[in-house]
Amino acid sequence: DSDTVANPVYFKLFSLPSVPGYAVMSIRGSETPFDWIVNMQLWSASGLAQAVKWLTPFGWVWEPILPDLIKLVNMIESKSIGDASYYKITTQFVNDVMAGYGKEFGKQFSTVRVTGASLGGGLAIITGAQTDAFAIAISGPGATLSRKSFDPPVELEKLNTQTFNFIPARDYVARVGGRASLFQNAQCTAPKNDLFGCHFLWRSVCEITYSCGSSSRPVPCICVNAFGYPPPVQNG
């Protein structure tokens, strides 16, 4: 959904001719100043709550009521800010697709998966939990703490069963918002003095490729040239 002022979220729907009825929705990460404003809007309250919990002695005692406190903080936002929330657009689009959108063009999808990285990953997690689509995120901020502040609210059970998050080591952005049950911790080759070096999509792609193999697909050159991974070795 581009060329709009109120909701400049950008995503694409990919269909697979070899798998009829199956589609993947990919949501772009943060690129524009408005994207970073949305980041702050969606996750600043939960990030602040986490900081207070970590820095306060016996801060864990607040954990059961943190979602309610975050909901209370987010209630003060204006209606115009709430209407501009990216996740409302992505969730509506997934619901429309699964309800038959595209049928007039000869395409109807019974299965939709949502994915994204960074902001796109966080939006994918929210959308996956709000719909019957499942979400796979890379370095996406979590939604367990702010689940009650979304419209409609997100059920913890759906976050725990319908979303998956790939979290590199020292990726501080992906730890904001709280983790659901399904996630994968991973190594990160970025220097320790690089604060946001682990919060990078291509580095995560390279780590997945290096750890799990690339099957019959070529390994991106950036893995060797930019991130220091060893050259790929043909297996078989």
Side-chain angles (χ1 to χ4, degrees), residues 160-174:
N160 288 334
T161 58
Q162 296 183 187
T163 68
F164 176 87
N165 199 9
F166 181 87
I167 305 176
R170 293 181 283 115
D171 185 351
Y172 308 108
V173 175

Side-chain angles (χ1 to χ4, degrees), residues 1-5 7-14 24-39 42-43 86-87 90 114-125 127 136-141 199 201-202:
D1 186 15
S2 56
D3 297 325
T4 62
V5 175
N7 295 285
V9 58
Y10 191 88
F11 54 83
K12 289 187 177 182
L13 185 72
F14 298 90
V24 177
M25 176 185 177
S26 178
I27 308 174
R28 189 190 69 184
S30 303
E31 287 194 6
T32 68
F34 199 92
D35 292 339
W36 290 104
I37 293 174
V38 171
N39 278 329
L42 290 177
W43 287 286
Y86 285 5
Y87 74 87
T90 56
V114 190
T115 188
S118 188
L119 168 63
L123 295 173
I125 290 173
T127 296
I136 299 175
I138 294 180
S139 296
H199 187 71
L201 170 63
W202 282 110

Side-chain angles (χ1 to χ4, degrees), residues 40-50 69-71 73-74:
M40 294 298 294
Q41 174 210 346
L42 290 177
W43 287 286
S44 59
S46 56
L48 179 61
Q50 284 178 292
L69 292 176
I70 293 170
K71 177 183 178 181
V73 171
N74 286 333

Side-chain angles (χ1 to χ4, degrees), residues 18-135:
S18 59
V19 188
Y22 189 94
V24 177
M25 176 185 177
S26 178
I27 308 174
R28 189 190 69 184
S30 303
E31 287 194 6
T32 68
F34 199 92
D35 292 339
W36 290 104
I37 293 174
V38 171
N39 278 329
M40 294 298 294
Q41 174 210 346
L42 290 177
W43 287 286
S44 59
S46 56
L48 179 61
Q50 284 178 292
V52 171
K53 185 186 76 170
W54 292 332
L55 297 175
T56 304
F58 302 104
W60 53 267
V61 301
W62 298 99
E63 192 162 347
I65 64 170
L66 282 181
D68 296 291
L69 292 176
I70 293 170
K71 177 183 178 181
L72 181 63
V73 171
N74 286 333
M75 285 177 62
I76 65 175
E77 72 178 15
S78 67
K79 183 179 183 300
S80 59
I81 294 177
D83 291 342
S85 295
Y86 285 5
Y87 74 87
K88 294 184 179 181
I89 301 299
T90 56
T91 294
Q92 183 61 52
F93 182 78
V94 170
N95 286 331
D96 289 343
V97 168
M98 299 187 72
Y101 174 80
K103 187 176 182 180
E104 62 270 25
F105 305 109
K107 292 185 177 182
Q108 188 168 6
F109 305 105
S110 57
T111 302
V112 179
R113 298 291 181 260
V114 190
T115 188
S118 188
L119 168 63
L123 295 173
I125 290 173
I126 298 171
T127 296
Q130 287 185 327
T131 65
D132 289 330
F134 287 71

